[in-house]
Every structure is written in C-alpha cells, then in structure tokens.
Amino acid sequence: MALLIHILACSFGVGSWVAVNGLWVELPLIVNTLPEGWELPSYLTVIIQLANVGPLLVTLMHKLNPGCLKENIVIYSILSIGVLSCILLAFFWDRTTVFAGASHSTAFFVIIFFLSLVDCTSSVTFLPFMMQLPAKYITTYYIGEGLSGFIPGVVALAQGVGMAICVNSSETSGNNTGSLHTEYLPPNFSTEVFFFILGAMMCISLAAFVALNRLPRIYELSTENLVQDTVPSVSSGLDNSGAETDGERVRNNGEMANQGSHMMAKYSMYQLTIIYFLVAWVNAATNGLLPSVQTYSCIPYGNLAYHLSASLASVANPLACMLAMFFQNRSLIFLGILTVVGTGFGSYNMAMAAMSPCPLLHGTAVGEAIIVLSWLFFTGTLSYVKVMVGVILRDQSHNALVWCGAATQMGSLVGSIIMFPLVNIYRLFKSGDFCNTECPLIPQN
C-alpha cells in the first residue's frame, strides 16, 4: 500500500506544473514561430501571474470562511480544465490575429491563461490535500512536481528543438551578396504532438487524484489532521496543543526521535518572516525575474544553448527534490546561504541578458557551457530551498501551507510585473540574429 501511495502521490504531483513547465522547455521552438519572438517569455510570465486570481480566491475563502471550500471539487475542476486546455493548445497554438497593425498570438495567450489558472491554483490546493497523508509522502509529491519539468524536458530533448544553422543567402537565392541568415532544422516531431503529450500527463495526474480519493483510509493521518485550528492565520497553527502530546510520544520511540523534534519545532514571528521572505524571493527569481529574459541570456550563444538551458535546468528540480529526501537541512542559516548562492547564478544569467546580443564569451564553446551550467545551478539550488521551506511549513499547520502557496504566487507575480516593462516598454534587453550579430572579437592568445 505504501508503494502504491508513493506512486500515486508522485503522479498527482506531476500535474501541478506540467503544463507551464512543458511550455517553457518548448519555447526554443515556439519563439521562432510566433510573432512576439524573443519577447514571448516576458508576455507569458505576466499572463501566468494574472492567473493568480485562482489561488487568490482560494486563499480568501480559507481566511473568510474556513472549512467551507471543498478542495476535492476544486482539484477535480482544475485538472479537467488542464486536460481540455492542452488539447485545445495542440490545435490553436500558432493561430494569430492582427491587432493595432501587428500580429499577436491571441489564441495561444488565452489558452495559456487557463493552463496557468490550473497550475497556479494547484499551489494552494494540492499541498493542503496532501496533508491527509503521512509526512513522508510530501517529499514524494515534490518529486512529482519536479518531474513535471523533467519529463517535458526529456521529451523536448528527444524532439530535437532549437537546432539552428547559418545559410548563405546566395545558396538559396542564387545571388552573390553572400549574406547569412538563420534557418531552423525541423524537429523530430511537431509541437502539436508535444502538447498532446502534456495533455496525457494531465490525464495521468487526474487519474492518480481519483485513485488517492478512493483509497481506503487505513493509514494514519499526519499531524495536520489535528485541526483544532479555527483561526486562519499562520501563528495560530503553531499553537496546536495536541502536537506537543504527539511529539512527546514520538520522542520516546528511539528511531523516531529526530522526526518528532522536527514536528515539534516552533518558529518565532521573526523566523516565520524570514521563511516567507525566502518563499517569496525564490519564486520571484525562478518564476518571474529570470524566465522573462532567458531568451536574451541564452539565444546569443545559439539556439542549442537555449534548448539545453531550458531542458537541462528542468532536470535540476527533481534532483533537488530527491536530494531533499535523503539530506534534509532545515537550518535557516543554511537555506539563507543556499539562496544567496542561487541568486549569484541568477545574477550572472541576468547580466548576460543585459549584455545581449553580445554577452561575455559570445561565440565560444566555453561561453555556451557556462550559461547552461549557470541556469542548471540556479534552478537546482533554489529548488532545494523551495522544497525545504515547504517541508518546514508543512510541519506547522494547514494554514501555514496555504499561506506558503500564497507567498509563492505573490513572489512570482511581483517578479513578472517588474520585468515586463523593462523588456517590452523600456527595451533594456536587445535581441539579435544568431548568424548576423556583429560582436567585438575575443583576443586570441
């Protein structure tokens, strides 16, 4: 039974962000087709964050009328919407309309909004539902959430997107100008097939949720089921007197001593402020600030660098979750240091985007390798922080997890709002053609 629940929890977690994560790893192909080009990621970050109306409504319901919201019904609804949206996206992703004299990917943006509504709302519904299971299944759920980026990344690698070649115009037009232009090799399978695969993954997540609801409740519920909390605040969840009795009992069980002490851990308001700041900042960086400029950061090194950065960075997320399963360090000092390290990699990525279309080591294999590794470590370090703060807050109360989801979406929203005008209005980041961009030559020794 335990193995089955682990498999179902992991499959359920896959549906949390599979649509949006799949979209990001497919962008190296999409940006070459849709009219928005390199600016497309900045549009997507804003559209995704506009979908925060979903978690906002859920959070307000928890605060204003605790217990009235049936999370099971909400989850059934959003997963069904996710399946339908993936199917529609496969048929209409490249349809454009003319507005104000320019072509826009209207259908693509509308469908992405509904997919984002699904994924954003999952942040404040999936985790609270998972509280009904023992604590060990939370990490399994996070692995599934990480796989929601890893699996599409592997599929994208198999698809072969993002391969670009420079072709002399005289070879195709018959003239002697000798100018170069960029041509993109066709993928091994189409974008439509990719979106159908995302839809299949959403179906698996929906089936796993149905199975979790139908399993006989023969397992012991976790400490959050001590729902004496009636006031929808984070601090109230820390004053659960029943948790202390259970903690004393656990400490008497030898091997379970450390787990009991973790579940007994209480945090001051100052420490809680630090924890929620980490949640907000990490998600602002990974969901808003950096994704908006990944095209400017990577494409100057070539579409292959962009493709590998997007696909391989998605591998770092589940690896960080698996690391958290075997190495759990809840020290706020350690998590703070790790956040600084991850922010350092993110700063390098942002700096390269600001220098686009001529970043450091442009046109060299070393530059390509560094930018790919920087995105990989940026994602990996901050993903570990995400998991650990989730585990910490999970051991506090139901409301702590709800507010964790709210802080997650608030950080993501602020990050995307900051970047959108910088990219699309003030034009601080410059695009260029991979084959025709002229950059200063690197001195040869």
Side-chain angles (χ1 to χ4, degrees):
M1 178 65 72
L3 178 60
L4 175 61
I5 298 175
H6 274 297
I7 294 175
L8 292 177
C10 183
S11 300
F12 176 54
V14 167
S16 59
W17 283 93
V18 66
V20 171
N21 286 335
L23 176 67
W24 286 114
V25 299
E26 187 71 356
L27 275 184
L29 180 61
I30 296 176
V31 295
N32 298 324
T33 303
L34 297 185
E36 288 76 13
W38 288 25
E39 297 175 357
L40 185 62
S42 62
Y43 281 95
L44 294 184
T45 56
V46 173
I47 292 173
I48 291 170
Q49 300 315 317
L50 288 177
N52 278 314
V53 63
L56 176 61
L57 291 176
V58 172
T59 303
L60 289 177
M61 290 290 287
H62 278 292
K63 182 173 180 63
L64 301 177
N65 197 356
C68 75
L69 187 66
K70 303 298 182 183
E71 287 173 342
N72 286 10
I73 296 177
V74 175
I75 295 174
Y76 275 123
S77 300
I78 62 176
L79 286 176
S80 299
I81 293 173
V83 172
L84 178 61
S85 297
C86 286
I87 295 174
L88 292 175
L89 192 61
F91 288 105
F92 300 105
W93 73 274
D94 57 350
R95 302 292 179 88
T96 61
T97 57
V98 177
F99 177 75
S103 295
H104 297 280
S105 309
T106 308
F108 180 77
F109 290 150
V110 170
I111 298 173
I112 291 303
F113 172 80
F114 284 100
L115 281 177
S116 304
L117 186 66
V118 171
D119 291 359
C120 290
T121 307
S122 73
S123 296
V124 292
T125 53
F126 284 20
L127 275 176
F129 169 79
M130 287 299 298
M131 317 172 23
Q132 301 178 49
L133 305 178
K136 59 184 178 180
Y137 297 113
I138 285 290
T139 304
T140 306
Y141 166 83
Y142 270 115
I143 291 176
E145 188 175 283
L147 289 175
S148 69
F150 173 77
I151 296 176
V154 172
V155 175
L157 287 172
Q159 188 183 21
V161 301
M163 306 303 178
I165 58 175
C166 296
V167 177
N168 194 312
S169 300
S170 60
E171 297 178 4
T172 58
S173 62
N175 58 42
N176 297 320
T177 59
S179 63
L180 295 176
H181 69 276
T182 306
E183 287 190 359
Y184 299 96
L185 299 178
N188 295 324
F189 54 88
S190 67
T191 300
E192 290 80 5
V193 172
F194 183 88
F195 288 138
F196 277 124
I197 294 175
L198 294 185
M201 294 174 66
M202 291 294 295
C203 288
I204 293 174
S205 180
L206 177 58
F209 177 68
V210 172
L212 286 172
N213 271 306
R214 294 182 177 274
L215 280 175
R217 300 304 175 89
I218 62 175
Y219 45 81
E220 180 182 357
L221 298 182
S222 59
T223 54
E224 278 76 18
N225 254 6
L226 302 171
V227 193
Q228 282 90 5
D229 304 311
T230 57
V231 180
S233 66
V234 174
S235 58
S236 66
L238 303 178
D239 296 329
N240 192 328
S241 60
E244 183 175 0
T245 302
D246 286 347
E248 292 172 354
R249 187 184 308 117
V250 169
R251 284 197 299 273
N252 292 329
N253 288 337
E255 185 179 355
M256 300 294 291
N258 289 335
Q259 181 179 349
S261 63
H262 283 320
M263 298 180 74
M264 276 294 298
K266 292 179 179 288
Y267 294 91
S268 66
M269 190 58 64
Y270 172 74
Q271 290 173 316
L272 284 173
T273 301
I274 294 177
I275 291 173
Y276 283 110
F277 172 78
L278 289 179
V279 173
W281 167 249
V282 166
N283 284 279
T286 58
N287 298 337
L289 296 174
L290 272 301
S292 298
V293 295
Q294 189 172 16
T295 47
Y296 299 93
S297 173
C298 298
I299 292 183
Y301 295 101
N303 264 36
L304 179 60
Y306 181 25
H307 177 48
L308 291 177
S309 296
S311 301
L312 295 182
S314 65
V315 177
N317 196 310
L319 288 180
C321 295
M322 293 179 67
L323 180 63
M325 177 182 290
F326 302 104
F327 175 69
Q328 292 192 359
N329 191 329
R330 306 187 184 206
S331 167
L332 295 185
I333 295 178
F334 173 77
L335 295 178
I337 293 174
L338 204 58
T339 301
V340 172
V341 172
T343 302
F345 287 115
S347 298
Y348 177 82
N349 299 337
M350 182 67 73
M352 296 305 99
M355 297 174 66
S356 176
C358 297
L360 296 177
L361 302 176
H362 174 269
T364 66
V366 174
E368 294 181 31
I370 290 176
I371 196 65
V372 171
L373 290 175
S374 182
W375 275 98
L376 182 65
F377 291 126
F378 163 72
T379 305
T381 53
L382 297 190
S383 293
Y384 181 87
V385 175
K386 284 184 185 180
V387 173
M388 291 315 304
V389 294
V391 171
I392 290 173
L393 293 174
R394 189 261 178 212
D395 286 341
Q396 304 308 308
S397 70
H398 179 283
N399 290 310
L401 278 182
V402 173
W403 286 106
C404 176
T408 295
Q409 300 308 323
M410 180 57 67
S412 303
L413 175 64
V414 171
S416 61
I417 289 178
I418 289 175
M419 293 307 300
F420 184 81
L422 298 181
V423 174
N424 297 282
I425 298 177
Y426 298 105
R427 309 284 181 180
L428 296 185
F429 302 90
K430 308 298 183 182
S431 61
D433 185 271
F434 175 69
C435 295
N436 290 315
T437 299
E438 295 183 0
C439 296
L441 297 177
I442 300 175
Q444 302 293 328
N445 294 325

